[in-house]
Amino acid sequence: MLDANLKTQLKAYLQRVTKPIEIVASLDDSKASGDLKGLLADIESLTDKITVVARTDDGERKPSFLITNPGVDTGVRFAGIPLGHEFTSLVLALLQVGGHPSKAAQDTIDQVRNLQGDFHFETYFSLSCQNCPDVVQALNLMAVLNPNIKHTAIEGSLFQDEVEARRIMSVPTIFLNGTSFGQGRMGLEEILAKVDTGAVAREAEKITARAPYDVLVVGGGPAGAAAAVYAARKGIRTGVAAERFGGQVLDTLGIENFISIKETEGPKFAIALEEHVKHYDVDIMNLQRAEALVPGDEHIEVKLASGASLKARSLIISTGARWRTIGVPGEAEYKNKGVAYCPHCDGPLFKGKRVAVIGGGNSGVEAAIDLAGIVGHVTLIEFGEQLRADEVLQRKLRSLPNVTVAVSAQTTAITGDGQKVDGLAYTDRTTGQEHRVALEGVFVQIGLVPNTDWLKGTLELSKHGEIVVDARGQTSVPGVFAAGDATTVPYKQIIIAAGDGAKAALGAFDHLIRASVAA
């Protein structure tokens, strides 16, 4: 199952294992079980610390395997074959069960260990989902740290009956003790905040008690990370409050145009951003969503959704953007029930089915191309008279036999049976004729909208809701700067956002110098 290069890398990692590991495999006579048996045999051959035991009559999902210590049930189970994006989750699980310490903060580890009650988590993932490993790895670690916590990571494509029965139409989807717990990317801190109900209030109290910053950055994407690094290098007190560190980059699969990095993946890039910021003396406050801006003569205040508030002498807003919705009947009702925004994550759940992609730009056409290799048929819906994607992408799209393109098409509704999507309605803008397409999934790919709703009435926004900035990143409010996709700066690209963040930090520093001289 594993090639020679991967075996060499894994063998090196497994040298860090200090405790014996027993892998208990639940197998049947299926091809998937045979593949899993081969994978586990490869792993067992790399170290004398791992023993594989096979069972056929234990009542567990097949194929699946438990990673544990002899005589101890750690509760870490994979149902399926964790390759692709989940191979890292497998490696980390082996290391952590084998005694290698986690890199999580000690107070977070203590919080997990102190959780009371019984928690059985189940996470449905796809091997192509870049968001799933964060959830799988967080819950696996929780199971290793606390004997009252169990976690099973389930490869949705191998357990389609469960996916259908539980009406799972997006990944990651998480269940706790048999009840829906959440969907989408979640890190360890976010999961803890949901199960430890007093954690949010305790953290809000700690945050509010912090002294004012010289520079406070709101947002943790490329712009926010660059701003934090540039501010910290000036030796001034710097803080970052982010709803999720990494921002929109976390939902980006391939990055091939960030100069000096030939290619990488969004989640890896986000980790590198955070590690770079942590290299400096920066106070990072994650899972903190800004709710209000209160300008002041001495300090600018930012109120957070958690109930906390922060003050600073200058502020850099880099809250980025989110997926734009089409705003038609059925979209909100069937979100994660057939309406999706990440084809890489959720595409495998629609294997062999009919889907639509709304949007004829690069993102939409790329999504249609990727999905065509998985699903039964793709209908691409474009509002304009022609596709807007690069010609090379259009040529590839036209070569695919299971893709239909409808241009001059206005989506009017997404329909369903109350539980999941069953179709899409659109109007031909040329003839006025109404059409209905029977399908099981709709992927919306029509661009982004800035995360600036919380700023209305406090500083100048464009007609599109973007923060109006000058050449230095200064907004209409003195001492408040902005950078990245939330601003009027054209061309929403990672490299441009990072440059914007650096520029805004330098502008904020210049503002602080001039303000102190004036005082």
Tab-separated table of all heavy atoms in Angstrom, residues 37-58:
chain	number	residue	atom	x	y	z
A	37	LYS	N	-5.718	-4.244	5.241
A	37	LYS	CA	-4.800	-5.258	5.774
A	37	LYS	C	-3.387	-5.026	5.257
A	37	LYS	O	-2.401	-5.124	5.995
A	37	LYS	CB	-5.293	-6.651	5.396
A	37	LYS	CG	-4.500	-7.795	6.019
A	37	LYS	CD	-5.122	-9.143	5.660
A	37	LYS	CE	-4.330	-10.289	6.291
A	37	LYS	NZ	-4.935	-11.604	5.928
A	38	GLY	N	-3.285	-4.675	3.960
A	38	GLY	CA	-1.971	-4.389	3.388
A	38	GLY	C	-1.330	-3.158	4.001
A	38	GLY	O	-0.122	-3.147	4.280
A	39	LEU	N	-2.124	-2.101	4.219
A	39	LEU	CA	-1.610	-0.879	4.835
A	39	LEU	C	-1.084	-1.155	6.240
A	39	LEU	O	0.020	-0.726	6.605
A	39	LEU	CB	-2.707	0.178	4.884
A	39	LEU	CG	-2.396	1.451	5.685
A	39	LEU	CD1	-1.231	2.209	5.065
A	39	LEU	CD2	-3.627	2.346	5.780
A	40	LEU	N	-1.858	-1.882	7.036
A	40	LEU	CA	-1.448	-2.161	8.417
A	40	LEU	C	-0.227	-3.077	8.464
A	40	LEU	O	0.621	-2.935	9.354
A	40	LEU	CB	-2.615	-2.775	9.189
A	40	LEU	CG	-3.863	-1.886	9.320
A	40	LEU	CD1	-4.943	-2.598	10.121
A	40	LEU	CD2	-3.516	-0.543	9.962
A	41	ALA	N	-0.124	-3.987	7.501
A	41	ALA	CA	1.065	-4.845	7.436
A	41	ALA	C	2.312	-4.018	7.145
A	41	ALA	O	3.388	-4.254	7.726
A	41	ALA	CB	0.875	-5.919	6.367
A	42	ASP	N	2.163	-3.028	6.264
A	42	ASP	CA	3.295	-2.142	5.972
A	42	ASP	C	3.719	-1.383	7.234
A	42	ASP	O	4.920	-1.258	7.521
A	42	ASP	CB	2.908	-1.132	4.880
A	42	ASP	CG	2.910	-1.752	3.494
A	42	ASP	OD1	3.404	-2.879	3.347
A	42	ASP	OD2	2.397	-1.100	2.562
A	43	ILE	N	2.744	-0.887	7.970
A	43	ILE	CA	3.051	-0.130	9.195
A	43	ILE	C	3.725	-1.022	10.225
A	43	ILE	O	4.730	-0.649	10.848
A	43	ILE	CB	1.770	0.497	9.769
A	43	ILE	CG1	1.229	1.570	8.815
A	43	ILE	CG2	2.027	1.110	11.140
A	43	ILE	CD1	-0.134	2.110	9.195
A	44	GLU	N	3.200	-2.231	10.393
A	44	GLU	CA	3.753	-3.168	11.391
A	44	GLU	C	5.198	-3.530	11.081
A	44	GLU	O	6.021	-3.733	11.981
A	44	GLU	CB	2.894	-4.426	11.431
A	44	GLU	CG	3.294	-5.416	12.522
A	44	GLU	CD	2.414	-6.652	12.519
A	44	GLU	OE1	1.888	-7.010	11.433
A	44	GLU	OE2	2.242	-7.256	13.593
A	45	SER	N	5.528	-3.555	9.773
A	45	SER	CA	6.884	-3.960	9.372
A	45	SER	C	7.943	-2.900	9.661
A	45	SER	O	9.141	-3.178	9.591
A	45	SER	CB	6.901	-4.288	7.872
A	45	SER	OG	6.756	-3.100	7.091
A	46	LEU	N	7.506	-1.679	10.017
A	46	LEU	CA	8.442	-0.569	10.163
A	46	LEU	C	8.987	-0.400	11.571
A	46	LEU	O	9.942	0.339	11.788
A	46	LEU	CB	7.769	0.736	9.717
A	46	LEU	CG	7.295	0.773	8.257
A	46	LEU	CD1	6.569	2.076	7.970
A	46	LEU	CD2	8.470	0.595	7.308
A	47	THR	N	8.383	-1.079	12.572
A	47	THR	CA	8.836	-0.922	13.954
A	47	THR	C	8.400	-2.119	14.784
A	47	THR	O	7.348	-2.719	14.525
A	47	THR	CB	8.258	0.359	14.582
A	47	THR	OG1	8.615	0.412	15.957
A	47	THR	CG2	6.749	0.419	14.463
A	48	ASP	N	9.191	-2.470	15.760
A	48	ASP	CA	8.818	-3.575	16.653
A	48	ASP	C	7.894	-3.107	17.767
A	48	ASP	O	7.485	-3.889	18.626
A	48	ASP	CB	10.066	-4.246	17.235
A	48	ASP	CG	10.943	-3.262	18.028
A	48	ASP	OD1	10.548	-2.084	18.181
A	48	ASP	OD2	12.029	-3.675	18.475
A	49	LYS	N	7.548	-1.826	17.762
A	49	LYS	CA	6.652	-1.280	18.782
A	49	LYS	C	5.174	-1.494	18.438
A	49	LYS	O	4.303	-1.245	19.255
A	49	LYS	CB	6.897	0.229	18.949
A	49	LYS	CG	8.214	0.585	19.653
A	49	LYS	CD	8.098	0.350	21.148
A	49	LYS	CE	9.153	1.108	21.950
A	49	LYS	NZ	10.528	0.795	21.574
A	50	ILE	N	4.884	-1.902	17.186
A	50	ILE	CA	3.496	-2.039	16.730
A	50	ILE	C	3.174	-3.488	16.421
A	50	ILE	O	3.928	-4.177	15.708
A	50	ILE	CB	3.232	-1.165	15.491
A	50	ILE	CG1	3.368	0.320	15.849
A	50	ILE	CG2	1.842	-1.442	14.911
A	50	ILE	CD1	3.160	1.254	14.676
A	51	THR	N	2.029	-3.949	16.949
A	51	THR	CA	1.521	-5.289	16.667
A	51	THR	C	0.113	-5.157	16.111
A	51	THR	O	-0.702	-4.401	16.644
A	51	THR	CB	1.471	-6.146	17.943
A	51	THR	OG1	2.776	-6.210	18.516
A	51	THR	CG2	0.986	-7.552	17.636
A	52	VAL	N	-0.177	-5.890	15.039
A	52	VAL	CA	-1.500	-5.860	14.420
A	52	VAL	C	-2.237	-7.154	14.738
A	52	VAL	O	-1.704	-8.249	14.568
A	52	VAL	CB	-1.404	-5.672	12.896
A	52	VAL	CG1	-2.790	-5.735	12.260
A	52	VAL	CG2	-0.728	-4.342	12.558
A	53	VAL	N	-3.470	-7.019	15.223
A	53	VAL	CA	-4.336	-8.156	15.516
A	53	VAL	C	-5.581	-8.028	14.650
A	53	VAL	O	-6.219	-6.970	14.634
A	53	VAL	CB	-4.737	-8.190	17.008
A	53	VAL	CG1	-5.681	-9.350	17.278
A	53	VAL	CG2	-3.499	-8.274	17.890
A	54	ALA	N	-5.949	-9.088	13.915
A	54	ALA	CA	-7.107	-9.051	13.024
A	54	ALA	C	-8.282	-9.792	13.633
A	54	ALA	O	-8.130	-10.865	14.222
A	54	ALA	CB	-6.749	-9.650	11.679
A	55	ARG	N	-9.496	-9.189	13.504
A	55	ARG	CA	-10.724	-9.811	13.983
A	55	ARG	C	-11.801	-9.717	12.911
A	55	ARG	O	-11.833	-8.752	12.148
A	55	ARG	CB	-11.199	-9.144	15.273
A	55	ARG	CG	-10.236	-9.344	16.444
A	55	ARG	CD	-10.712	-8.615	17.681
A	55	ARG	NE	-9.783	-8.799	18.798
A	55	ARG	CZ	-9.837	-8.129	19.942
A	55	ARG	NH1	-10.783	-7.215	20.126
A	55	ARG	NH2	-8.962	-8.363	20.904
A	56	THR	N	-12.682	-10.703	12.892
A	56	THR	CA	-13.753	-10.718	11.892
A	56	THR	C	-15.151	-10.756	12.508
A	56	THR	O	-16.135	-10.558	11.809
A	56	THR	CB	-13.599	-11.946	10.966
A	56	THR	OG1	-13.635	-13.134	11.768
A	56	THR	CG2	-12.274	-11.884	10.200
A	57	ASP	N	-15.251	-10.997	13.800
A	57	ASP	CA	-16.557	-11.206	14.428
A	57	ASP	C	-16.785	-10.296	15.630
A	57	ASP	O	-17.417	-10.686	16.608
A	57	ASP	CB	-16.708	-12.668	14.857
A	57	ASP	CG	-15.593	-13.102	15.819
A	57	ASP	OD1	-14.663	-12.303	16.028
A	57	ASP	OD2	-15.682	-14.219	16.353
A	58	ASP	N	-16.268	-9.067	15.576
A	58	ASP	CA	-16.339	-8.187	16.742
A	58	ASP	C	-17.468	-7.170	16.679
A	58	ASP	O	-17.624	-6.338	17.566
A	58	ASP	CB	-15.012	-7.456	16.939
A	58	ASP	CG	-14.581	-6.671	15.703
A	58	ASP	OD1	-15.335	-6.686	14.711
A	58	ASP	OD2	-13.508	-6.057	15.738
